């Protein structure tokens, strides 16, 4: 196979001002870290503290850090990526946010990435670009390096044509994406939305999932991302004892668990409201059941995230003050902090049910991690129909997160599900993740990318 260059907004590690490296937040970084191919190169941002850094080795790979000034971080990352594209693609644009200077900086930073990739990619390399931060890179890169093969994978949903058309820079964004040879989405509906958008906004001819862009072919398909099954399976088994300690600490018969970045797309308030109503109605008893919500602080400089944090904290406080247990504890244990994977695995093993109520979600890797970590074969998954993972897990209790009554009945069903049923549903979900793990995902994408016929100018 040709040399591989991976480009994502974040490198797999975040580097602090003092040079300390920690794992980058989010599912993308953790998924990609597990598929680091020996000898591959990564181009990305090392986080806000990093400043300018020279290329550095990382395991068997090389990292090429891209520097962002504080103003660029504000306009490109917090602004265009996380206050325009993120809410628009999740169907949750709050107000008029089409800020033109954010867009200009987004273009400048995308050019910087394209230039850095063009300089580092060996002749005829394969370049794999990730996510909504870098949608202009495929076209910019092709102009600089017509010899490379370019794949783009979008980790978040792709909106329908009408929503996407709200973007004043829709033509440039679409043209940027169409610089790819292969564009991968999480689920078939995202791929279909993309093709309808192309048909609505351009002259490009679509033959099924094959688009003709000038003399080139651009292929479009769904490649549902996954997790490293064996790693999470081992983490779960190693956490069995820690899970017993957590359960003893909680001192209740049943634990419902939510683990999310503190993001307004995750539906955290909806699930807590459902839990609160069940307590109010006496259908759940604080002595028997507790809700553990881990909320990992995320994008804390973006106002919508600050609002979400306030809302979540307020509902937790309300539930805990209205339903205090005789021992003085509230029924919601709210942990606003990040965890390493060992700590997460302990909660996954301690819980009776994982509750995922995303209002929109590309995949939701937490659901897949939970399943992979349950080597004990137990545990129920309550899962939003709007998370990509719902398409892989028909055995989960699938709910519409906007329907509070539906969440309530799923929580009750989860808490009373007979042992045999829990185990057979879990066994089948585990078989799915075991078969379609993150290695399978990466291999499948790269094989397809390698097979796309292209108008390439080969260098020797
Ligand atoms: C989602 C996005 C990723 C992103 C992650 C963490 O999973 O798809 O691209 O890296 O969230 O968000 P952050 O803004 O901290 O990179």
């Amino acid at each position: 196979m040709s040399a591989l260059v991976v480009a994502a907004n974040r490198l797999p590690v975040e580097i602090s001002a003092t040079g300390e490296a920690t794992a980058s937040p989010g599912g993308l970084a953790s998924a990609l870290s597990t598929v680091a191919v020996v000898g591959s190169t990564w181009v990305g941002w090392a986080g806000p503290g990093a400043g300018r850094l020279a290329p550095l080795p990382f395991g068997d790979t090389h990292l090429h850090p891209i520097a962002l000034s504080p103003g660029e971080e504000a306009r490109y990352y917090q602004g265009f990526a996380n206050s325009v594209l993120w809410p628009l693609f999740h169907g949750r644009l709050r107000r008029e946010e089409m800020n033109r200077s954010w867009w200009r900086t987004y273009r400048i930073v995308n050019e910087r990435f394209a230039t850095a990739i063009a300089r580092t990619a060996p002749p005829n390399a394969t370049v794999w670009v990730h996510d909504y931060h870098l949608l202009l890179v495929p076209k910019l890169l092709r102009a600089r390096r017509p010899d490379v093969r370019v794949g783009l994978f979008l980790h978040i949903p792709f909106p329908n044509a009408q929503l996407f058309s709200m973007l004043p820079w829709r033509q440039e964004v679409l043209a940027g994406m169409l610089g790819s040879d292969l564009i991968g989405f999480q689920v078939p509906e995202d791929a279909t939305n993309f093709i309808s958008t192309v048909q609505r906004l351009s002259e490009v001819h679509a033959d099924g999932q094959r688009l003709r862009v000038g003399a080139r072919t651009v292929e479009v398909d769904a490649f549902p991302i996954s997790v490293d099954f064996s790693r999470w399976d081992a983490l779960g088994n190693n956490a069995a004892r820690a899970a017993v300690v957590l359960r003893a600490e909680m001192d209740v018969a049943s634990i419902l668990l939510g683990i999310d970045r503190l993001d307004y797309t995750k539906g955290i308030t909806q699930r807590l409201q459902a839990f609160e109503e069940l307590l109010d109605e006496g259908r759940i008893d604080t002595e028997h059941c507790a809700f553990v919500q881990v909320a990992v602080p995320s994008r804390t400089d973006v106002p919508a995230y600050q609002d979400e944090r306030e809302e979540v904290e307020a509902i937790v406080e309300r539930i805990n003050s209205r339903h205090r247990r005789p021992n003085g504890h509230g029924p919601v244990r709210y942990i606003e902090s990040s965890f390493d994977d060992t700590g997460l695995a302990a909660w996954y093993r301690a819980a009776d049910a994982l509750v995922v109520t995303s209002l929109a979600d590309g995949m939701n890797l937490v659901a897949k991690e939970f399943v992979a970590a349950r080597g004990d074969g137990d545990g129920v998954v309550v899962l939003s129909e709007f998370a990509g993972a719902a398409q892989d897990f028909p055995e989960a209790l699938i709910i519409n997160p906007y329907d509070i009554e539906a969440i309530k009945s799923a929580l009750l069903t989860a808490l009373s599900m007979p042992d045999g049923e829990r185990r057979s549903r879990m066994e089948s979900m585990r078989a799915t993740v075991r078969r379609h793990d993150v290695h399978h995902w990466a291999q499948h994408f790269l094989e397809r990318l390698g097979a796309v016929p292209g108008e390439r100018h080969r260098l020797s």
Side-chain angles (χ1 to χ4, degrees):
M1 197 187 115
S2 61
L4 177 66
V5 178
V6 172
N9 173 56
R10 284 188 187 276
L11 289 172
V13 282
E14 189 165 316
I15 300 173
S16 73
T18 56
E20 222 178 308
T22 47
S24 287
L28 182 156
S30 70
L32 289 185
S33 311
T34 61
V35 292
V37 177
V38 176
S40 62
T41 299
W42 291 61
V43 180
W45 180 45
R52 261 178 205 290
L53 287 176
L56 62 152
F58 174 67
D60 291 329
T61 66
H62 308 278
L63 304 186
H64 272 258
I66 299 285
L68 296 181
S69 70
E72 285 170 346
E73 187 192 331
R75 294 188 298 276
Y76 147 77
Y77 169 74
Q78 287 150 24
F80 199 73
N82 285 314
S83 301
V84 178
L85 293 180
W86 177 272
L88 181 70
F89 282 29
H90 287 86
R92 304 199 61 82
L93 204 57
R94 296 194 327 159
R95 47 177 180 260
E96 184 55 49
E97 300 256 43
M98 299 299 180
N99 183 310
R100 283 163 283 177
S101 86
W102 293 351
W103 159 250
R104 283 192 291 272
T105 307
Y106 181 81
R107 205 163 46 191
I108 290 168
V109 172
N110 271 247
E111 274 166 7
R112 187 173 306 152
F113 268 83
T115 303
I117 301 164
R119 285 202 185 121
T120 47
N124 313 312
T126 294
V127 179
W128 193 0
V129 180
H130 290 265
D131 231 356
Y132 58 102
H133 313 84
L134 303 180
L135 296 181
L136 308 182
V137 166
K139 180 177 178 202
L140 295 168
L141 178 60
R142 185 170 295 285
R144 288 161 172 79
R145 288 288 305 273
D147 59 301
V148 299
R149 203 176 268 275
V150 188
L152 170 68
F153 185 78
L154 187 69
H155 292 251
I156 66 173
F158 192 84
N160 67 34
Q162 196 175 359
L163 261 181
F164 184 85
S165 300
M166 289 163 65
L167 198 62
W169 310 281
R170 58 201 191 181
Q171 294 295 355
E172 288 99 316
V173 172
L174 216 50
M177 296 177 76
L178 288 171
S180 320
D181 294 292
L182 172 65
I183 310 179
F185 296 92
Q186 296 280 24
V187 293
E189 198 179 337
D190 297 329
T192 307
N193 282 347
F194 180 76
I195 292 169
S196 323
T197 303
V198 167
Q199 285 172 326
R200 174 174 167 148
L201 297 177
S202 78
E203 303 286 300
V204 166
H205 175 71
D207 177 10
Q209 296 186 313
R210 213 164 243 205
L211 309 175
R212 288 303 295 172
V213 181
R216 292 189 306 117
T217 302
V218 180
E219 291 198 7
V220 174
D221 210 343
F223 298 85
I225 197 171
S226 190
V227 298
D228 187 342
F229 181 85
S230 8
R231 181 167 170 273
W232 280 101
D233 186 44
L235 281 165
N237 290 334
N238 294 338
R241 192 172 298 213
V244 172
V245 174
L246 287 175
R247 282 199 76 100
E249 238 175 73
M250 293 299 296
D251 189 27
V252 281
S254 310
I255 297 175
L256 300 170
L257 174 69
I259 295 191
D260 310 82
R261 276 185 311 100
L262 187 35
D263 192 302
Y264 54 85
T265 60
K266 301 293 182 183
I268 300 174
T269 51
Q270 279 77 358
R271 80 186 67 145
L272 290 176
Q273 187 186 333
F275 182 65
E276 182 181 35
E277 289 186 16
L278 290 172
L279 291 170
D280 288 346
E281 292 160 11
R283 295 158 82 193
I284 277 186
D285 172 356
T286 55
E287 283 307 284
H288 289 105
C289 179
F291 204 113
V292 175
Q293 177 64 51
V294 174
V296 179
S298 182
R299 307 173 192 163
T300 49
D301 291 319
V302 177
Y305 287 75
Q306 295 161 357
D307 295 350
E308 175 68 9
R309 176 180 167 185
E310 275 175 27
E311 262 180 59
V312 171
E313 286 176 356
I315 187 166
V316 169
E317 214 174 288
R318 186 178 73 212
I319 299 174
N320 282 345
S321 62
R322 293 182 55 234
H323 293 280
R324 205 160 284 288
R325 295 172 64 191
N327 67 6
H329 295 301
V332 180
R333 176 153 171 197
Y334 181 63
I335 310 171
E336 205 174 84
S337 112
S338 52
F339 267 79
D340 61 12
D341 291 346
T342 307
L344 289 181
W347 279 116
Y348 287 149
R349 279 297 269 257
D352 294 277
L354 178 77
V355 186
V356 176
T357 52
S358 311
L359 305 174
D361 211 333
M363 176 52 59
N364 197 284
L365 290 179
V366 164
K368 292 191 174 179
E369 287 171 4
F370 175 74
V371 163
R374 294 308 299 243
D376 60 339
D378 208 343
V380 180
V381 180
V382 174
L383 184 56
S384 163
E385 67 182 271
F386 302 120
Q391 305 200 11
D392 289 318
F393 290 157
E395 309 84 354
L397 299 176
I398 306 289
I399 46 100
N400 170 1
Y402 293 90
D403 181 349
I404 302 294
E405 291 302 329
I407 305 178
K408 285 161 68 178
S409 41
L411 295 183
L412 293 176
T413 307
L415 292 170
S416 61
M417 191 181 283
D419 189 67
E421 185 180 348
R422 285 200 309 269
R423 289 180 177 280
S424 76
R425 287 177 186 248
M426 180 53 84
E427 191 184 310
S428 142
M429 290 189 281
R430 282 175 60 77
T432 301
V433 183
R434 193 184 287 117
R435 212 172 33 245
H436 295 289
D437 70 355
V438 72
H439 301 286
H440 172 269
W441 166 76
Q443 196 184 345
H444 184 201
F445 184 92
L446 290 171
E447 273 172 15
R448 277 290 296 279
L449 177 57
V452 179
E455 264 276 295
R456 241 170 298 281
H457 304 266
R458 290 193 67 80
L459 298 180
S460 51

